[in-house]
Each structure stands twice: as C-alpha cells, then as structure tokens.
C-alpha cells in the first residue's frame, strides 16, 4: 500500500462525543479525511475504521476516551473515478497499447486513467506504472502509444525522438487550400503577429499534406479537410502556430493560435491524430492503427454546407427580385463563377465562348430569342439589330433559327465584340450575315434600317444593389456597364426609346428584357409604341416585352 495515498487519523473521543454513532461523529468533526458520506461509507465497508483496535460498523456507539483510528485509502476513490473515464483501446499486447483520447479530456488525468485500464499488475495485484509516448492537448483527440514497461518506454521514446514513428493528423482549416506543396503553402519567416517566437521551418513540422475534401462555408468561404503526415516528436503548439501565423488557413478551434467558426464556437479544436505506424521493439512487427475521424468533424461540415446552401437560396431570391435569373452560386470556386473558369456558357442549346469582358448569358434571356422567332415568323429579308450584344448570344441564336435574316451586333466593348465574332464563326453557318460595330447605343443613326431591335439593357439599380455587393460577389465579377443603370435602372430604356423611332422600320418591332417589377415603368417610357406581347421566363416573371412601332 502506497503511504502517499493514505489519509490517516488517530483521535481520542472527547466527552462531547460520548453516546454518538461513530459515522455521525466523524462526519461532524473529521469530514476532511474522507471528503463525503459516500466515501466514508466505503471506508467502513473496507474496514478502514476501527475503535480500540477493532473494525466497527457505522452504527457503533462511541464512549468517552474511545480511540478511533481511520486509514482512508484515497487511491481506491481515484481508481473508481478513473474507471469512469472512457478509454477505448485500439490495440493491446503484453508490452504496449494504443488508445484513443477523446477531446476535452485533460492529458494528465487521462494518463492516470490509462494506467487503471491497461497497466500490468504486480504480485500484490497493484497496477504498475505506464508511460505515454506521445501526448495530445486537451482540446484535441487521437491515438496515444502506451508503454507498459520501462524498457519498452525507452525504446519507443528513442524511436519517437528519432522520427521513426509515423503519425497522421486530420485537421479542419479555414479556406480552400490550393496546393499540397509545403513550400508554397507556408511562409516560414516570422510573422509580425508572433515577433517573439523563433522561426518555424514548415518542413521540420510536416512531411506531407493531403487534401481530403473541401466544403463551402458562410464563415470561412471553404472548410478544407487535411491529412498531415507529421515529423516526431510533435509539438502541438508549433503545428497550430505554423497554420495560424505562416499561412492563410488557420486550424478551426478555440485554442491558442486557432480561429473559431462563428457558428461552431463550442467545438473545441478540429484536430485528431488518426493514424500511427511503428515497428514493435519487442516483437519486431509493424503496428499500424487507423481510426475514423471524430463525428463532430462531419457534423460541422454538414452544418456549414447546409447553411451555405440556405444563404445561396436567399441570395438567389434577392437576385431574382433584382431582375436576374439566379446564377448557380455552387458554380463558384474561390468566389469565381464557373462559366468564367471554363470560358464558356450554354445558351439556346449552343455553347458560347465567354470572358470577363462579357455578361454571362442567362437562361431567362432565352425568352427574348423565342419572342423574336415568334414575332418574325413568315417574314423575309429581315434585318435585326442587337444592342449591347456582349458575346453575341442573342443575335447568333436568332439568326441561327431564321436563315433569311441578317443582323448588326453593337457593343461599346471591342473586347466583347471580338468574342462575339469568334462565336459567330464557330456557331453560325453563314457568319457573314452579321456586321459587328463598336458603338454607343445613343449614337446609332441608321434610319429605318431594322425590322427588329432586340436588347437586354443594363437595368440593375446602383442604389438598390450597392449595399449587397459583398454578398453578391458573383455579380461583381461581370462587367458593371452591362449590369447597372442610373435613374432607378431605367436609364437605358429612356435612351433606347429615343433611338428606336429613328432606326426601326414602320411596323417594325422592339423586344426588350425587363427586370422584375419594371414592366409598368418600361411601358410608361414606351407609351408611343404599341404593346404586342409580354413573355414570362422559366421562373414565371414577366421578362420580355414586345413592342410594335405605331404608324405615323
């Protein structure tokens, strides 16, 4: 019995204790020995309390001058407490064990609990000491190697210090990690935020990095799941500092040198040592233990993905209200729209080349093509003008369906027109039917030249959308002159209403795309024209207005 684990009391009962039960008297006068009624009851059961040299029951009545001797073994109490700490043994043999430490468990306490669950027993049945080879901070979880003898401890510790034990840690970090190249990902010079620390050499901490997955997040844009093959001995703080100070991708957590997610501030540290491989010093066999990641990692990623999708749906609704068909914001990568990444977008069953000089064609704008075809049905020698043609998707699609038509595509951007010309060459059999012009719409003066004017003018209101610009990063990537207009979004409808009477033939038509809830305002501007038809887009909004020029 270890004397350090014994609380000892020897006392003579005074006159005031005469006639009292021993249990009650000890609780009133010497509670510090056993701490609680429960522990005192256990001490009586273990016969640790005697009166006049004889073990007694709790109900024994005391007499003056009785000698009470109390030898309370507190190690038994600690053993009971240690047995309640969950220890999951992943591998065990007579020499060593590999156990799983859950997050939130103090390492010193956990090490004691390991002893009660894995240690060998001596001849008297007492647990012998065990040694943890590696440690994991309280907020993290993972695998720990446990040596059961001093000899094995020394051998394993030597391998650990000489970097002969392979360890893999999974972490969740903020952001979309773009590369697994360590020299590219980290800047080893001392960061100004950490001036007092010594420089961290990334290759001294990390052997390699694997990107397991990436999840969209409102708080972090992305959450990256990484598997880190680490050098040993491992310093947990150094690893956290490396990501926190020397990269753009801090580990998610509430510990020092980590960065929390706003919606997951109670999730501790998102780091878990999942895999260990080493050669058994006694058996000379390879020991390889691999565990699944903690459930909270998946829960966190699923939660972030769910709320990101909710935000996308909300943004899409806001964009619809602004007058644009919602762009599939899942198509972003690092905030960039997929059509720009791919350099193409499908429209009217044709794939158009696009660059950032062009507005991305929307499915809602296909309504203008359908309206144009219906309006020009059974007519010959048709001439169409597309004002603000961009990549040429409207004009090329109309002329593709009407072989007898020719057209003029006008835009103020020469770069956009170069893309439109290339699309015409690739998508239209007789691309020479189109003339391309760099021209401001207000300067068009072709008198009575066109049977049809088609236009998707800029109609987003600066004042209404400017407050949302950070949330609508997709729109910010497109040419602002193709999206935004002054005068509450009606600026270019006014300009067109002055140009159209000059350039459109008698009985000719104008087909305009209109933003949501703008149809009435547009009709007021074009009151000198006859309303022929209103077409809805696939979302059910009034999208396309067909006007006919009245006879003088």
């Amino acid at each position: 019995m270890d004397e350090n684990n014994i609380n000892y009391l020897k006392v003579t009962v005074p006159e005031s204790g005469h006639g009292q039960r021993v249990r009650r008297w000890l609780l009133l006068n010497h509670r510090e020995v056993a701490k609680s009624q429960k522990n005192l009851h256990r001490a009586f059961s273990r016969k640790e309390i005697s009166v006049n040299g004889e073990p007694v029951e709790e109900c024994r009545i005391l007499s003056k001058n009785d000698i009470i001797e109390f030898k309370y073994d507190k190690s038994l109490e600690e053993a009971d407490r240690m047995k309640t700490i969950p220890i999951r043994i992943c591998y065990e043999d007579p020499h060593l064990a590999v156990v799983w430490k859950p997050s939130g468990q103090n390492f010193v306490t956990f090490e004691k609990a390991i002893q009660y669950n894995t240690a060998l027993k001596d001849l008297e049945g007492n647990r012998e000491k065990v040694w943890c080879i590696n440690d994991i901070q309280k907020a993290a979880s993972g695998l720990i190697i446990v040596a059961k003898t001093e000899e094995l401890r020394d051998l394993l510790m030597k391998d650990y210090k000489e970097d002969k034990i392979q360890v893999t840690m999974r972490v969740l970090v903020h952001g979309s990690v773009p590369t697994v190249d360590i020299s590219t990902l980290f800047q080893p010079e001392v960061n100004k935020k950490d001036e007092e620390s010594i420089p961290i050499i990334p290759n001294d901490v990390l052997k390699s990095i694997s990107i397991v997955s990436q999840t969209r997040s409102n708080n972090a844009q992305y959450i990256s799941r990484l598997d880190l093959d680490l050098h040993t001995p491992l310093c947990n703080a150094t690893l956290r500092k490396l990501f926190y100070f020397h990269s753009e991708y801090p580990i998610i957590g509430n510990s020092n040198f980590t960065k929390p997610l706003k919606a997951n501030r109670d999730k501790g540290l998102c780091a878990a040592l999942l895999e260990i491989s080493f050669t058994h010093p006694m058996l000379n066999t390879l020991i390889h233990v691999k565990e699944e990641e903690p459930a909270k990692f998946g829960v966190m990623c699923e939660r972030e993905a769910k709320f990101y999708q909710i935000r996308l749906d909300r943004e899409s609704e806001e964009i619809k209200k602004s007058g644009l068909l919602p762009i599939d914001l899942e198509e972003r990568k690092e905030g960039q729209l997929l059509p720009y990444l791919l350099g193409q977008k499908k429209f009217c069953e044709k794939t158009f080349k696009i660059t950032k000089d062009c507005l991305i064609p929307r499915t809602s704008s296909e309504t203008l093509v359908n309206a144009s075809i219906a309006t020009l049905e059974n007519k010959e020698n048709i001439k169409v003008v597309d004002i603000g043609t961009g990549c040429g998707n409207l004009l090329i699609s109309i002329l593709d369906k009407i072989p007898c038509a020719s057209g003029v595509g006008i835009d103020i951007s020469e770069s956009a027109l170069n893309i439109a010309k290339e699309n015409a060459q690739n998508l239209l059999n007789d691309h020479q039917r189109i003339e391309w012009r760099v021209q401001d719409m207000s300067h068009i003066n072709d008198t009575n030249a066109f049977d049809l004017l088609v236009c998707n003018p800029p109609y987003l209101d600066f004042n209404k959308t400017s407050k949302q610009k950070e949330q609508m990063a997709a729109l910010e990537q497109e040419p602002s002159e193709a999206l935004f207009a002054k005068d509450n979004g009606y600026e270019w409808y006014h300009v067109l209403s002055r140009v159209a009477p000059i350039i459109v033939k008698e009985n000719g038509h104008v087909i305009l795309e209109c933003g949501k809830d703008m149809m009435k305002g547009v009709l007021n501007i074009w009151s000198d024209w006859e309303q022929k038809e209103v077409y809805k887009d696939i979302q059910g909004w009034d999208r396309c207005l067909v006007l006919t020029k009245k006879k003088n």
Side-chain angles (χ1 to χ4, degrees), residues 118-134:
T118 65
L120 300 172
K121 293 183 179 180
D122 60 21
L123 295 176
E124 296 179 1
N126 297 316
R127 292 282 184 182
E128 296 184 344
K129 184 174 175 57
V130 297
W131 296 268
C132 292
I133 305 304
N134 60 304

Side-chain angles (χ1 to χ4, degrees), residues 33-69:
V33 179
K35 307 296 185 183
S36 69
Q37 294 186 45
K38 182 177 180 181
N39 292 339
L40 186 61
H41 175 73
R42 290 174 175 173
F44 277 110
S45 299
R46 298 194 295 258
K47 301 188 182 303
E48 294 175 343
I49 301 171
S50 65
V51 176
N52 302 326
E54 296 292 333
V56 295
E57 301 293 331
E58 297 179 48
C59 58
R60 163 71 183 266
I61 303 297
L62 295 175
S63 299
K64 180 183 176 182
N65 296 325
D66 279 347
I67 298 174
I68 300 176
E69 197 169 9

Side-chain angles (χ1 to χ4, degrees), residues 204-461:
D204 286 351
V205 179
L206 295 162
K207 295 179 181 178
S208 65
I209 299 174
S210 299
I211 301 173
V212 179
S213 67
Q214 293 183 326
T215 303
R216 293 309 305 254
S217 165
N218 290 332
N219 296 293
Q221 294 300 315
Y222 282 88
I223 294 175
S224 293
R225 246 190 196 101
L226 307 179
D227 278 349
L228 312 176
D229 290 331
L230 302 168
H231 289 287
T232 61
L234 167 65
C235 175
N236 292 283
T238 300
L239 178 65
R240 299 196 309 274
K241 285 183 179 181
L242 178 63
F243 278 86
Y244 188 78
F245 290 119
H246 306 294
S247 84
E248 301 297 323
Y249 313 98
I251 295 173
I252 296 171
N254 294 314
S255 304
N256 291 334
F257 316 120
T258 64
K259 183 179 178 182
L261 282 176
K262 292 180 181 178
N264 291 277
R265 289 186 178 273
D266 59 340
K267 298 300 182 181
L269 176 64
C270 291
L273 203 159
L274 298 184
E275 191 170 359
I276 286 182
S277 296
F278 59 95
T279 300
H280 197 301
M282 307 302 290
L283 304 179
N284 199 32
T285 58
L286 178 66
I287 304 299
H288 178 244
V289 180
K290 184 176 182 180
E291 291 295 311
E292 296 296 322
E293 71 175 18
K296 73 175 184 181
F297 285 25
V299 170
M300 179 182 293
C301 290
E302 289 172 9
R303 175 188 171 88
E304 288 297 298
K306 174 185 175 182
F307 283 100
Y308 181 79
Q309 185 59 50
I310 290 173
R311 189 188 71 128
L312 288 186
D313 294 341
R314 185 172 64 248
E315 284 187 349
S316 296
E317 185 63 29
E318 291 175 1
I319 295 173
K320 282 194 291 185
K321 291 178 181 178
S322 297
L324 293 175
L325 182 69
I327 300 167
D328 184 4
L329 300 183
E330 286 284 7
E331 295 181 343
R332 293 188 201 172
K333 183 178 181 182
E334 287 295 336
Q336 189 173 16
L337 294 169
L338 185 60
Y340 285 143
L341 285 171
L342 299 178
Q344 63 184 37
K345 184 69 167 67
K346 197 165 186 179
F347 183 84
C348 286
E349 300 181 351
K350 292 184 178 295
T351 301
F352 286 81
K353 177 180 177 178
I354 62 166
T355 68
K356 288 191 175 181
D357 299 305
C358 313
L359 189 72
I360 296 174
R362 269 68 165 177
T363 305
S364 60
S365 297
E366 293 182 1
T367 310
L368 278 73
V369 176
N370 297 331
S372 299
I373 295 169
T375 300
L376 299 175
E377 189 177 9
N378 299 321
K379 294 185 179 182
E380 297 181 355
N381 300 319
I382 299 163
K383 194 166 185 180
V384 179
V385 61
D386 177 15
I387 299 178
T389 190
C391 68
N393 56 297
L394 288 178
L395 185 58
I396 293 169
S397 299
I398 292 169
L399 267 57
D400 180 62
K401 298 294 184 180
I402 307 176
C404 65
S406 61
V408 176
I410 296 174
D411 204 289
I412 60 171
S413 170
E414 185 174 0
S415 298
L417 281 181
N418 289 334
I419 300 300
K421 291 176 186 178
E422 188 175 340
N423 281 325
Q425 292 170 1
N426 293 332
L427 301 175
L428 202 59
N429 290 332
D430 186 8
H431 63 86
Q432 295 178 345
R433 286 188 285 154
I434 301 180
E435 174 191 353
W436 303 103
R437 296 184 197 170
V438 179
Q439 194 172 16
D440 188 303
M441 70 169 72
S442 61
H443 297 156
I444 304 171
N445 55 10
D446 302 56
T447 305
N448 294 325
F450 302 106
D451 299 283
L452 175 65
L453 183 160
V454 62
C455 183
N456 176 14
Y459 53 72
L460 293 183
D461 183 0

Side-chain angles (χ1 to χ4, degrees), residues 459 464 487-495 497 512-528 531 534 542 545 547:
Y459 53 72
K464 291 182 179 178
D487 193 12
N488 298 317
Y490 291 101
E491 175 186 10
W492 297 107
Y493 293 105
H494 283 287
V495 173
S497 71
L512 302 172
E513 179 165 327
C514 300
K516 184 175 181 290
D517 297 328
M518 295 181 72
M519 189 68 69
K520 184 177 179 180
V522 174
L523 283 170
N524 288 336
I525 295 169
W526 291 74
S527 59
D528 291 340
Q531 177 185 335
V534 173
D542 290 340
L545 175 61
L547 301 165

